[in-house]
Amino acid sequence: MAESQPAKKKGGYTYGRRAANRQLSNTAEESVLCIYHGHSLGRFSSASMRFDSHQACVRCVAAAREGRISLDIDTLLHRERKRALKFWSQVDIGAPDECWDWKGYCASSTGMPQFAWRRPGISSSTQHHPQRVAMWYSWGDLGFTGVKTTCGNRYCCNPFHLIPQGIGVFVDNDTYIENFELACQLHTLKQQVAEYQIELALEEQAKIVDQQLVDERADLVFAPDSEFSERLEAVMEDLLAGRNPGQASNLNLQLNEEEENPTDEF
């Protein structure tokens, strides 16, 4: 079986040109932790083995060469699952044989689709093409390996239309459509994205309600004709309910400290 290649359609687009024509090296080094669970050097290790030419995880490369695509969010590290849902929520997910167009941010000057993600040790850029991010969340954490579509659509993020370049992928794309396991993962992904969008909508609605309540309290506290007892009662109710501005600042600081907890990676 020959190595899988993207269709040679006019208007095809390759993202990651600096690595597209470079072959994967035969040497690996200890580097940044892979975004997939179980790919670390040890149970509590914060590093993974990556090829020094592309910074691709050696375990993800082995899976990609066998054509093992995964859309299962639960295979990612805990800290990456919310980001993955955020990414897929900006993709028009359809059938395996359809293009999944990017619906997120595009640069106003060039029209280039972009997804914000800071990846120290992998890339110095804070903005990545969605096709590369889709590759990371399906084919594996392949570093800055080049990726090209089989459909020629620069906005398509369908993993079944993406082929990593230069690592040797030996698969038949038609088999993905008949794969029952991938069909189940795709159905689950759509449900998780829908639940994530509902959760975001509820959080946004809660913020609006809280802001309206804060505004009403502010009008009451700072109104010149309001009595001292009414002001005191409003302030005490806010303190007990956790709506006081000072309490909100302390809560945000505590949440930021919890996000930096290294044990959340496992």
Side-chain angles (χ1 to χ4, degrees):
M1 180 183 294
E3 180 180 353
S4 298
Q5 297 292 337
K8 297 181 179 179
K9 295 183 179 181
K10 187 175 181 180
Y13 179 76
T14 304
Y15 182 73
R17 294 183 177 87
R18 65 169 178 162
N21 298 322
R22 186 192 305 176
Q23 292 298 319
L24 196 68
S25 66
N26 293 324
T27 58
E29 60 185 4
E30 183 178 336
S31 187
V32 183
L33 182 66
C34 178
I35 63 176
Y36 285 86
H37 179 73
H39 288 194
S40 59
L41 295 177
R43 183 177 180 183
F44 298 106
S45 174
S46 59
S48 297
M49 294 301 296
R50 294 179 178 271
F51 289 103
D52 55 5
S53 61
H54 291 65
Q55 286 299 306
C57 173
V58 294
R59 296 191 182 186
C60 291
V61 169
R65 285 174 171 170
E66 297 178 0
R68 285 185 279 162
I69 295 180
S70 176
L71 298 174
D72 188 1
I73 298 293
D74 294 335
T75 60
L76 298 170
L77 298 177
H78 287 283
R79 67 179 185 183
E80 293 296 337
R81 294 175 186 177
K82 188 173 183 179
R83 195 199 316 270
L85 290 174
K86 178 181 179 181
F87 170 76
W88 290 120
S89 66
Q90 301 177 61
V91 176
D92 186 12
I93 302 177
D97 58 343
E98 299 176 343
C99 284
W100 301 1
D101 289 333
W102 172 251
K103 300 299 182 182
Y105 174 77
C106 294
S108 57
S109 57
T110 62
M112 180 72 69
Q114 295 177 351
F115 181 76
W117 188 358
R118 187 182 299 275
R119 300 208 63 187
I122 302 298
S123 175
S124 58
S125 175
T126 59
Q127 300 289 335
H128 302 280
H129 197 286
Q131 289 178 353
R132 173 165 284 173
V133 180
M135 176 185 69
W136 288 337
Y137 283 141
S138 55
W139 285 93
D141 192 355
L142 303 180
F144 52 83
T145 299
V147 59
K148 191 170 184 178
T149 62
T150 58
C151 58
N153 182 1
R154 67 184 298 182
Y155 298 100
C156 178
C157 298
N158 186 348
F160 308 115
H161 289 183
L162 302 179
I163 296 181
Q165 301 293 286
I167 65 172
V169 180
F170 295 86
V171 294
D172 181 8
N173 292 334
D174 295 335
T175 60
Y176 293 131
I177 301 177
E178 303 174 357
N179 191 308
F180 178 74
E181 181 179 358
L182 284 176
C184 293
Q185 291 181 4
L186 178 58
H187 178 72
T188 303
L189 177 62
K190 290 180 179 180
Q191 287 185 326
Q192 290 174 324
V193 170
E195 293 173 357
Y196 173 76
Q197 292 174 329
I198 293 175
E199 181 181 351
L200 288 182
L202 292 176
E203 290 179 356
E204 187 64 27
Q205 183 64 29
K207 289 180 181 179
I208 295 176
V209 173
D210 290 342
Q211 185 60 42
Q212 291 176 348
L213 185 58
V214 169
D215 294 339
E216 292 176 359
R217 292 293 189 184
D219 294 339
L220 174 63
V221 171
F222 295 105
D225 56 345
S226 61
E227 298 182 359
F228 175 78
S229 59
E230 294 178 347
R231 298 181 185 180
L232 179 61
E233 182 181 357
V235 172
M236 294 302 298
E237 288 181 357
D238 289 342
L239 287 172
L240 294 175
R243 294 191 297 264
N244 186 273
Q247 291 175 309
S249 301
N250 294 332
L251 179 59
N252 292 333
L253 179 60
Q254 182 180 0
L255 291 176
N256 292 334
E257 292 178 351
E258 292 178 355
E259 290 177 356
E260 296 175 357
N261 189 347
T263 59
D264 291 341
E265 298 174 355
F266 306 100

